[in-house]
Amino acid sequence: MGEFELIRRFFTRATPKAVLGVGDDCAILQPGPGMQMAISTDMLVEGRHFFPDVDPRSLGHKALAVNLSDLAACGARPLAFTLALALPRVDEAWLQAFSEGLMALADAHGCELIGGDTTRGPLTICITVFGEMPATQALLRSGAQPGDDIYVSGTLGDASLALAALQGRVTLPPEWLAFARPRLERPTPRIALGLALRGVASAAADVSDGLLGDLGHILDRSGVGASMETNDATYLIAAYAYSTRAGGHFDTYVSAQLARQCVLAGGDDYELVFTAAPAQRAAVQAASNASATPVTRIGQIEAAPGLRLLDGQGNVLAHSFASFDHFAA
Ligand code: ADP
Ligand code: MG
């Protein structure tokens, strides 16, 4: 199968929202009146972001999910995406499963594949997403104010716990791993929550590299600091509640130190960390309900720079949780 037959078979779909989709030199999008476009790119490289034998359906899902997560963090509604693909060979069964996983998530969010590029090379997937929001309503990292509450959506730490188990750094009962693994391989972009937080949140970011690091981006861009209660960090891990319900003892398998590491610094959760004024607490709860996405208040923005982690008694903990950095020494 040649390049153009491959594109036609696996990556050409109807694109009713776009003015022009796959097949010409450019695709064409028309944002609605009064709307601004939000654009973001994320790349996944074999051996770096995923295991060579990962299920291609999950990989298709995740490649788009990590990009949609950036739109969610900006409060943007997904419109369209492009797909740049380097493939070592044409494997039709692999391409079929990959495109099905990709398109299922695209369809769920009304996000159209409007173009891309296809080349031979080490397996690499680069997606660019385009979204829209009413002018000046984007959620930015730079809007946090002293006194704001800090929240995180959903659950945190399961993706890095599953990764640690798959890499043999921790041993989990098989059914716990089976529970946590989809959080690593099939993350849920929090699009509905991002939309519901327009006009409510003062700042937002998605948690891709670890909570402390991504919250740190908000603090840097907003010129503020924060304090965060970390005693209850373990309860943010979905596998904790799962194992407890099943009558298991989480801390027999996962040390308190590893649990905190997963929640505070584990990457790949694709939840939202966001801030909102205390006067918005009811509105945040309403946004959570409207989007069927749980949110947990985890701390407070303060004027003094830096991030202070507190134990249950309000003492500041020394910490050295590094978030993920591809070029860290
Ligand atoms: P160009 O000559 O401009 O590089 P190509 O010949 O590579 O264009 O691609 C032909 C058409 O197919 C273009 O519309 C391009 O956007 C689209 N396309 C190429 N690869 C992909 C892909 N992986 N997914 C979706 N569309 C693709
Ligand atoms: Mg090309």
Side-chain angles (χ1 to χ4, degrees):
M1 184 184 330
E3 176 185 334
F4 298 103
E5 170 66 5
L6 184 161
I7 296 166
R8 191 191 61 73
R9 259 189 59 193
F10 298 109
F11 301 115
T12 305
R13 299 276 291 259
T15 53
K17 277 194 206 166
V19 178
L20 184 63
V22 168
D24 213 304
D25 290 308
C26 290
I28 304 178
L29 287 178
Q30 176 67 61
M35 302 299 256
Q36 291 179 329
M37 294 200 77
I39 301 161
S40 183
T41 297
D42 262 306
M43 180 156 66
L44 297 186
V45 176
E46 181 181 272
R48 169 104 329 231
H49 300 95
F50 56 91
F51 297 113
D53 62 349
V54 71
D55 164 40
R57 196 177 302 269
S58 297
L59 185 61
H61 173 101
K62 183 165 179 174
L64 182 59
V66 303
N67 279 278
L68 291 175
S69 178
D70 287 311
L71 292 184
C74 283
R77 184 182 298 284
L79 284 178
F81 69 106
T82 60
L83 170 69
L85 201 54
L87 297 169
R89 74 195 74 84
V90 175
D91 174 341
E92 292 188 28
W94 190 96
L95 278 161
Q96 184 66 38
F98 174 83
S99 68
E100 282 173 11
L102 179 80
M103 295 304 189
L105 184 64
D107 289 346
H109 291 281
C111 193
E112 300 176 345
L113 177 55
I114 55 168
D117 199 24
T118 307
T119 175
R120 190 185 292 270
L123 183 57
T124 304
I125 304 149
C126 183
I127 288 180
T128 299
V129 280
F130 303 84
E132 66 175 10
M133 63 256 162
T136 75
Q137 279 197 26
L139 303 177
L140 304 179
R141 292 176 173 182
S142 53
Q145 298 284 332
D148 284 357
D149 296 316
I150 305 170
Y151 299 84
V152 69
S153 67
T155 58
L156 280 183
D158 294 276
S160 62
L161 185 62
L163 181 64
L166 293 172
Q167 291 177 332
R169 289 183 282 119
V170 62
T171 303
L172 297 179
E175 64 279 13
W176 297 11
L177 175 58
F179 176 83
R181 191 170 177 165
R183 295 284 295 156
L184 175 67
E185 295 183 343
R186 302 183 59 82
T188 305
R190 298 301 191 185
I191 292 290
L193 178 63
L195 294 175
L197 287 174
R198 283 178 185 166
V200 174
S202 52
D206 71 326
V207 182
S208 53
D209 295 331
L211 175 63
L212 297 189
D214 291 313
L215 173 58
H217 296 315
I218 291 180
L219 303 183
D220 286 346
R221 301 275 297 182
S222 301
V224 295
S227 64
M228 211 177 114
E229 172 63 56
T230 61
N231 237 27
D232 294 343
T234 306
Y235 306 133
L236 285 169
I237 304 177
Y240 172 82
Y242 172 82
S243 63
T244 306
R245 272 199 309 278
H249 293 283
F250 193 70
D251 48 6
T252 311
Y253 294 89
V254 183
S255 69
Q257 173 63 21
L258 177 62
R260 285 160 50 84
Q261 175 77 29
C262 287
V263 170
L264 299 177
D268 265 355
D269 291 305
Y270 300 99
E271 294 293 350
L272 298 185
V273 55
F274 62 96
T275 61
Q280 299 284 0
R281 280 183 192 172
V284 168
Q285 191 53 53
S288 165
N289 295 345
S291 60
T293 310
V295 304
T296 307
R297 186 145 51 86
I298 57 168
Q300 218 80 50
I301 297 293
E302 295 169 348
L307 176 55
R308 289 159 287 284
L309 303 186
L310 307 179
D311 68 10
Q313 282 72 50
N315 303 311
V316 177
L317 299 169
H319 70 86
S320 59
F321 293 107
S323 68
F324 195 76
D325 175 344
H326 284 285
F327 294 102

